[in-house]
Amino acid sequence: MSESGKVTIAHGAGGKETWKIITELIVRRVPEQLRRTEGGIGIDKLDDGAVIRIDDKYIVVTIDSYTVKPLKFPGGNLGVLAASGTINDLLMMGAKPVAVEDAIIVEEGVSMELVSEIVNSFIEVLTDEGLAIIGGDFKVMPKGTLDIMVITSTGIGIAERPIVDTELRVGDSIVVTGPIAEHGATIIAAQLGMLDTVRGLSSDVKPLTKVMLPLLEKFGNYIHAARDPTRGGIASTLNEWASVIGKTIILKREEVPIRESVRSFLDMLGIDPLQVASEGIAVLGVDPEVTDELVKYLRSLGQVHARVIGKVVEPPSDVAKGKVLAETEVGGLVFVDTASVIVPRIC
Amino acid sequence: MSESGKVTIAHGAGGKETWKIITELIVRRVPEQLRRTEGGIGIDKLDDGAVIRIDDKYIVVTIDSYTVKPLKFPGGNLGVLAASGTINDLLMMGAKPVAVEDAIIVEEGVSMELVSEIVNSFIEVLTDEGLAIIGGDFKVMPKGTLDIMVITSTGIGIAERPIVDTELRVGDSIVVTGPIAEHGATIIAAQLGMLDTVRGLSSDVKPLTKVMLPLLEKFGNYIHAARDPTRGGIASTLNEWASVIGKTIILKREEVPIRESVRSFLDMLGIDPLQVASEGIAVLGVDPEVTDELVKYLRSLGQVHARVIGKVVEPPSDVAKGKVLAETEVGGLVFVDTASVIVPRIC
């Protein structure tokens, strides 16, 4: 990374550039022995959260800043997004969510009614799921120095066995719990002022507690990787996974569940749904031995669109190592790239 | 709090209004049983951090968003501020700092060199103190929607015996470890463009590890309250303390250590130094039995300006309950108010 350049939207979009800036700006500069606590999982894993080992307990800690424009959108608002995202990051690490601390920054002059509505949603989602809200910070930035509101949220959970995505291995099935790209498509439509003309779009933002906790209980040892495909969509998630383990992921494009409204809207814009954010689904890397049973169980939990969408294989060639390939209609394979869609303030 | 109003700078200034908005917007809306985890210390204490009890261990977790203008100032920069503030919040809870997660938001178009310098300082301060950096987030907001950069930082520490400020009691001495108001005075001068004309101002921003860890080791059981007086200065800290325990704190104004450069600059502006932020000192509530010994020990640790500046007493009258009173030169008492100085983006 050149230090002479300027920060671009791509650096924060959740794709290659984000990964690169985090690695070069932060990870490499932290002395090796301080990239994690003893026996824990740290920043070098670039996972959804970090793990601190305390005696025989695994404490999972996550952090994320949430900034979305517009603040309210079909299916949710910034508060629902921040609460759900925090809960889901903990679940993706295999943890039971326990508590949250939040740091809220608001622009001077914003209506208290709006702030109150967003904060209420944030609190409601968390407390409905039984999380404690144990601390926080509240700051105001002068008019013109912040666009409305940012919520940064730290989640704390406890895992019996943390899910570390580097455990993904050859043979594993890639399972998705529901239709993709719904959050991102909705925000893009809102930002383009197209919500009135395009019907049927609504964000999927929600906590996955009622899906993931039973799943972890029943299949915990067989789930090798788990991620909520937010910024950058499942293309980013799968490329990161393939890259960290140095294998290839073969994606069956036609198996990826997408609602028709989302597909046709993104088609119209020429955007690949694989690169668009979800906020209410999980992508899992599952031991092939239990895959069918696990998908069946997901459907019994109400995730009726749950499906196997790919598998991890030995790289068929050198250039395919660490990459994601999709099967084409005529039987060939093409690379699936990480986010080229640069939509700011999506989550 | 009226929901019909607008958010003002005062809501984020660390004084009465901040306390009020946090209480009314967040604390009261969280169901009582979810304001802390079982056996822990939570949001209702409004302390520097929260405590989660895990078996016989106390895990302390803090969160704060740091936004300062200018990003670089005499004595430090945003990175030094965020790292020091996080470490100090953990120390003030009686914890040994262990790890940090950070969420960085940068405005599109900012020079990579500047971001790199700030992040480097952040990492250096933390790793010099032995903290692990275990996770993070990096987001970019479009040009014009964020003024340069915000760092939100979550600190994780372990306490043998957490310091909960509500343990402050009648008879306790109020001790300050060093001269006050140095950070705030420096930032105010910078914001007013007066750094060239006013000499000798420099922020005191630094981690207090080398002071607080030995102090906790030697006097842990005798320190009933501890706080780094940042936003709102020691006036806010002491008023919050007096208020939560329903007692009165008598302040000996002339004993409060202030460097001449800071005093004369703030005098010129008519600002009370008691209301101005520090970033490298602690205010302690100390058992009177050990006060002299503790102050001597602080001085032996290099804190040569450490001094007793007040004490906790039974309220001399109903109106003095939960308030801070200062002795005047003629022997009377006056109220010490919380921050009326509304300086945004100071820490």
Side-chain angles (χ1 to χ4, degrees):
Chain A
M1 186 189 68
S2 155
E3 286 196 9
S4 59
K6 303 229 178 249
V7 175
T8 66
I9 290 294
H11 286 121
K16 269 179 277 201
E17 292 297 317
T18 303
W19 205 1
K20 204 174 155 204
I21 201 173
I22 290 178
T23 303
E24 301 197 2
L25 201 64
I26 302 174
V27 182
R28 286 201 194 151
R29 292 179 180 177
V30 178
E32 156 64 27
Q33 74 278 11
L34 290 174
R35 291 178 191 166
R36 70 205 72 75
T37 55
E38 211 185 316
I41 296 163
I43 198 166
D44 44 351
K45 294 287 185 187
L46 295 169
D47 212 319
D48 293 285
V51 177
I52 297 175
R53 183 157 189 178
I54 293 176
D55 303 329
D56 61 337
K57 293 273 202 311
Y58 295 96
I59 317 297
V60 176
V61 185
T62 73
I63 193 165
D64 252 315
S65 289
Y66 296 88
T67 155
V68 65
K69 185 159 193 165
L71 280 182
K72 301 199 272 183
F73 47 81
N77 63 33
L78 174 65
V80 176
L81 181 71
S84 303
T86 304
I87 291 171
N88 292 345
D89 276 350
L90 291 169
L91 292 168
M92 296 307 126
M93 293 297 294
K96 182 182 182 305
V98 172
V100 160
E101 294 199 12
D102 63 87
I104 299 171
I105 314 181
V106 180
E107 185 186 27
E108 178 191 13
V110 173
S111 93
M112 197 61 90
E113 196 182 341
L114 179 64
V115 173
S116 181
E117 182 184 343
I118 302 281
V119 172
N120 250 349
S121 294
F122 179 72
I123 294 173
E124 256 176 45
V125 172
L126 292 170
T127 56
D128 280 357
E129 301 285 327
L131 279 84
I133 300 172
I134 60 175
D137 182 34
F138 189 90
K139 286 210 167 70
V140 178
M141 281 173 76
K143 216 172 171 61
T145 63
L146 175 75
D147 193 5
I148 307 187
M149 194 169 178
V150 173
I151 299 180
T152 303
S153 173
T154 282
I156 299 138
I158 296 184
E160 275 180 42
R161 195 194 68 87
I163 298 174
V164 189
D165 293 350
T166 47
E167 293 297 307
L168 187 72
R169 61 199 73 162
V170 167
D172 281 356
S173 311
I174 304 295
V175 172
V176 68
T177 63
I180 70 162
E182 306 204 337
H183 176 74
T186 306
I187 300 299
I188 292 169
Q191 290 183 356
L192 295 174
M194 294 174 73
L195 277 177
D196 286 339
T197 46
V198 182
R199 295 280 156 185
L201 292 180
S202 180
S203 169
D204 62 336
V205 61
K206 62 180 169 296
L208 288 164
T209 325
K210 284 167 194 70
V211 178
M212 288 303 293
L213 286 185
L215 203 66
L216 291 169
E217 176 84 22
K218 204 170 159 80
F219 295 99
N221 292 319
Y222 299 95
I223 301 172
H224 300 148
R227 184 77 62 94
D228 53 336
T230 59
R231 281 185 294 176
I234 64 173
S236 269
T237 298
L238 297 182
N239 270 290
E240 276 182 41
W241 283 359
S243 170
V244 289
I245 63 170
K247 303 297 178 188
T248 299
I249 294 175
I250 305 285
L251 187 71
K252 295 174 191 162
R253 268 202 96 108
E254 77 283 4
E255 290 296 317
V256 179
I258 313 180
R259 277 186 222 281
E260 192 41 45
S261 54
V262 173
R263 184 199 300 275
S264 59
F265 171 67
L266 293 174
D267 261 2
M268 186 177 70
L269 297 177
I271 296 175
D272 185 347
L274 297 177
Q275 299 180 339
V276 175
S278 294
E279 290 289 342
I281 63 165
V283 182
L284 310 170
V286 180
D287 193 311
E289 204 181 303
V290 301
T291 301
D292 290 348
E293 201 190 334
L294 181 142
V295 170
K296 230 177 268 173
Y297 187 61
L298 272 173
R299 290 178 180 174
S300 79
L301 293 170
Q303 306 300 297
V304 295
H305 300 283
R307 210 171 306 173
V308 179
I309 60 165
K311 63 181 169 184
V312 184
V313 300
E314 286 295 347
S317 66
D318 259 11
V319 291
K321 193 178 162 183
K323 303 285 182 188
V324 179
L325 299 172
E327 292 174 349
T328 64
E329 285 160 358
V330 291
L333 290 167
V334 291
F335 286 113
V336 175
D337 258 348
T338 51
S340 58
V341 198
I342 307 301
V343 184
R345 306 189 62 189
I346 206 150
C347 56
Chain B
M1 188 188 66
S2 155
E3 284 196 11
S4 59
K6 301 228 179 252
V7 174
T8 66
I9 291 294
H11 286 121
K16 269 180 277 201
E17 292 297 318
T18 303
W19 204 1
K20 204 174 156 205
I21 200 173
I22 290 178
T23 303
E24 301 197 2
L25 201 64
I26 303 175
V27 181
R28 287 201 193 152
R29 292 179 179 178
V30 178
E32 156 63 26
Q33 74 278 11
L34 290 175
R35 291 178 190 166
R36 70 205 73 73
T37 55
E38 210 185 317
I41 296 162
I43 199 166
D44 44 350
K45 295 288 184 186
L46 296 169
D47 212 319
D48 293 285
V51 177
I52 297 175
R53 184 158 189 179
I54 292 177
D55 304 329
D56 61 337
K57 294 273 202 311
Y58 295 95
I59 318 297
V60 176
V61 185
T62 72
I63 193 166
D64 252 315
S65 289
Y66 297 87
T67 156
V68 65
K69 186 160 192 165
L71 279 182
K72 301 199 271 181
F73 47 81
N77 63 32
L78 175 65
V80 176
L81 181 71
S84 304
T86 304
I87 291 172
N88 292 344
D89 276 350
L90 290 169
L91 292 168
M92 297 306 126
M93 293 297 294
K96 181 180 184 305
V98 171
V100 160
E101 294 198 13
D102 62 88
I104 298 171
I105 313 181
V106 180
E107 185 186 26
E108 179 191 13
V110 172
S111 92
M112 199 60 91
E113 195 184 341
L114 178 65
V115 172
S116 181
E117 183 184 342
I118 302 280
V119 172
N120 250 348
S121 294
F122 179 72
I123 294 173
E124 256 176 44
V125 172
L126 292 169
T127 56
D128 282 356
E129 302 284 326
L131 278 84
I133 301 172
I134 59 175
D137 182 33
F138 189 90
K139 286 212 167 71
V140 178
M141 280 174 77
K143 215 173 173 62
T145 62
L146 175 75
D147 192 6
I148 307 187
M149 193 171 180
V150 173
I151 299 179
T152 303
S153 174
T154 282
I156 299 139
I158 296 184
E160 277 181 40
R161 196 194 67 88
I163 298 174
V164 189
D165 293 350
T166 47
E167 292 297 307
L168 188 72
R169 61 198 73 160
V170 167
D172 281 357
S173 311
I174 304 295
V175 172
V176 69
T177 63
I180 69 162
E182 305 204 337
H183 177 74
T186 306
I187 300 299
I188 292 170
Q191 290 184 356
L192 295 174
M194 293 174 74
L195 278 178
D196 286 339
T197 45
V198 181
R199 296 279 157 186
L201 292 180
S202 181
S203 169
D204 62 335
V205 61
K206 63 181 168 296
L208 287 164
T209 326
K210 285 167 192 72
V211 177
M212 287 302 293
L213 286 186
L215 202 68
L216 290 170
E217 175 84 24
K218 205 171 156 82
F219 296 99
N221 292 319
Y222 299 95
I223 300 173
H224 300 147
R227 184 77 62 94
D228 54 335
T230 59
R231 281 185 294 176
I234 64 172
S236 269
T237 299
L238 297 181
N239 269 291
E240 276 183 40
W241 283 359
S243 169
V244 288
I245 63 170
K247 304 297 178 187
T248 299
I249 293 176
I250 304 286
L251 186 70
K252 295 175 191 162
R253 267 202 96 108
E254 76 284 2
E255 290 296 317
V256 179
I258 313 180
R259 278 186 222 282
E260 192 42 44
S261 54
V262 173
R263 184 198 300 275
S264 59
F265 171 67
L266 293 174
D267 262 1
M268 186 176 70
L269 298 177
I271 296 175
D272 185 348
L274 297 177
Q275 298 180 339
V276 176
S278 295
E279 288 290 343
I281 63 166
V283 183
L284 309 170
V286 180
D287 193 311
E289 205 182 302
V290 302
T291 301
D292 291 348
E293 201 190 335
L294 181 143
V295 170
K296 230 177 267 172
Y297 186 62
L298 272 173
R299 291 179 179 172
S300 79
L301 293 171
Q303 306 301 296
V304 295
H305 299 284
R307 211 170 305 173
V308 178
I309 59 165
K311 63 182 169 183
V312 184
V313 300
E314 286 293 349
S317 66
D318 260 10
V319 290
K321 192 177 163 182
K323 303 287 184 188
V324 180
L325 299 173
E327 292 175 349
T328 64
E329 285 160 357
V330 292
L333 291 167
V334 292
F335 285 113
V336 175
D337 257 348
T338 51
S340 58
V341 198
I342 307 300
V343 184
R345 306 188 62 188
I346 207 150
C347 57

